[in-house]
Amino acid sequence: MPVPRARQIVLTASERRRFKKLAHSHTAPYQQVVRVRIVLDAAHGYSNARIALRQRVHLDTVRRWRGRYADQGIDGLKDRPRTGRPPRFTPVQRAEVTALACQLPAETGMPLSRWSSTDLAREAVGRGITEAMSASTVRRILAADVLKPWQHASWVFIRDPDFATKAARVLGLYQRIWNGQPLAGNEYVISSDEKTSIQARCRCHPTLPPGTTRRMRVNHEYDRGGALAYLAAYDVHQARVFGHCSPKTGIIPFMDLVQQVMTQEPYASARRVFWVVDNGSSIVARQPPTGSPRGSPTR
């Protein structure tokens, strides 16, 4: 049986420039690069066997893309549409799962605070939307609409009727303004807060360094040495941080932090130092009169 002759490929100058650029591209898909190189070799006059050897592909691959380009041009180098596996779920079923995810669990009688993909899959089956559905299928359906009901954001409603007045005082201090007047150069604003229940612990056994044919060994058991509270003060306008550790919270550790800051310059000789604090467990002392020489805590 005679062997069919290889299809002749003729490229214009512009096509040749375009194909050479694609053939040396580092960003184009690899399969597209190989197909373009096959066409370039064919236009150069190489035989199919020589092209297969040069591009390290099968001879049938060379025949396929050389023939497609000869018949269809550049469009022949694209992948043909594939039918693939038919979808298991109808558009109506997918829409019902999406609508279910947009409801609160309590509205459906579920004792949940928020949906998970597993819960949604189970509820879809329980409602008769589908006979079976996996959690991963639910995630794919919801990802098409950028829905993630298992994530949530929380907030707190402001219930203090004087919040705006109090917030304005603090925000004014952050802008170096007090009672409508700018702060002087020897007046400072300190923001303070605390972090409680920091676990103090150390490993029961020391970490062993790596050695020949041995990885580093880290023991994961701890001796718990109780809990610490960390109190910090931040100079809002000079970006200075002061810290103090204490085995417990209360007004005494807080006043220790205040003394640590106020005994240092420039705060020790400052005209006024404003302390911005919240209603934490440490802040239980009364508020000094406004304009006192060594500070005016603002709650």
Side-chain angles (χ1 to χ4, degrees):
M1 181 176 180
V3 178
R5 294 189 58 180
R7 306 291 296 275
Q8 185 177 4
I9 302 297
V10 178
L11 299 177
T12 64
S14 61
E15 289 175 337
R16 188 177 297 274
R17 287 194 300 269
R18 180 183 178 186
F19 278 16
K20 284 185 176 180
K21 185 177 180 180
L22 281 173
H24 296 88
S25 173
H26 295 285
T27 57
Y30 176 73
Q31 291 181 340
Q32 183 182 9
V33 172
V34 172
R35 296 167 190 175
V36 167
R37 290 176 178 176
I38 289 173
V39 174
L40 283 173
D41 283 352
H44 195 270
Y46 291 126
S47 65
N48 290 343
R50 179 77 180 277
I51 297 174
L53 185 63
R54 282 171 53 85
Q55 304 302 332
R56 299 180 180 180
V57 295
H58 196 274
L59 182 60
D60 291 340
T61 302
V62 176
R63 290 172 179 159
R64 178 189 305 118
W65 297 114
R66 184 170 188 165
R68 285 194 188 180
Y69 184 81
D71 294 334
Q72 305 174 30
I74 187 65
D75 291 337
L77 300 183
K78 300 178 181 178
D79 289 326
R80 291 177 178 174
R82 300 179 182 179
T83 57
R85 188 181 69 177
R88 292 184 55 191
F89 304 101
T90 65
V92 174
Q93 290 175 316
R94 298 171 67 91
E96 289 180 341
V97 171
T98 302
L100 180 61
C102 293
Q103 292 180 298
L104 294 175
E107 297 176 359
T108 64
M110 293 291 291
L112 300 171
S113 60
R114 60 183 183 272
W115 290 114
S116 69
S117 55
T118 303
D119 296 326
L120 285 169
R122 188 182 299 113
E123 183 69 10
V125 174
R127 291 189 174 205
I129 296 176
T130 178
E131 294 182 358
M133 179 175 287
S134 65
S136 59
T137 299
V138 170
R139 286 194 293 270
R140 285 194 296 270
I141 292 174
L142 299 184
D145 294 318
V146 199
L147 292 175
K148 297 180 180 180
W150 42 86
Q151 296 183 356
H152 73 284
S154 59
W155 71 94
V156 176
F157 286 107
I158 299 172
R159 293 184 288 271
D160 187 349
D162 299 325
F163 175 79
T165 302
K166 296 177 180 179
R169 297 172 69 192
V170 174
L171 295 176
L173 284 173
Y174 287 166
Q175 295 178 359
R176 296 192 59 82
I177 297 175
W178 176 252
N179 289 337
Q181 299 295 325
L183 298 182
N186 60 344
E187 293 180 324
Y188 303 91
V189 180
I190 301 292
S191 179
S192 178
D193 205 350
E194 63 180 354
K195 174 63 177 177
T196 60
S197 301
I198 301 176
Q199 292 188 5
R201 59 185 185 175
C202 61
R203 297 189 186 276
C204 297
H205 303 283
T207 299
L208 298 178
T212 305
T213 68
R214 185 188 70 190
R215 299 178 182 176
M216 182 173 66
R217 297 180 180 179
V218 181
N219 180 260
H220 288 279
E221 294 180 328
Y222 293 92
D223 273 331
R224 301 186 183 275
L228 295 174
Y230 180 75
L231 297 90
Y234 177 69
D235 188 323
V236 175
H237 302 114
Q238 298 196 28
R240 298 181 63 186
V241 179
F242 306 89
H244 175 71
C245 287
S246 173
K248 58 182 180 180
T249 61
I251 188 60
I252 295 178
F254 175 71
M255 294 309 298
D256 290 339
L257 174 67
V258 173
Q259 184 178 10
Q260 175 185 340
V261 176
M262 298 303 295
T263 54
Q264 300 184 40
E265 293 294 345
Y267 315 104
S269 58
R271 178 173 177 267
R272 287 189 299 184
V273 177
F274 294 86
W275 282 73
V276 181
V277 297
D278 61 10
N279 293 324
S281 58
S282 295
I283 315 303
V284 295
R286 66 179 180 88
Q287 179 178 342
T290 302
S292 59
R294 288 297 175 84
S296 300
T298 303
R299 298 185 182 179

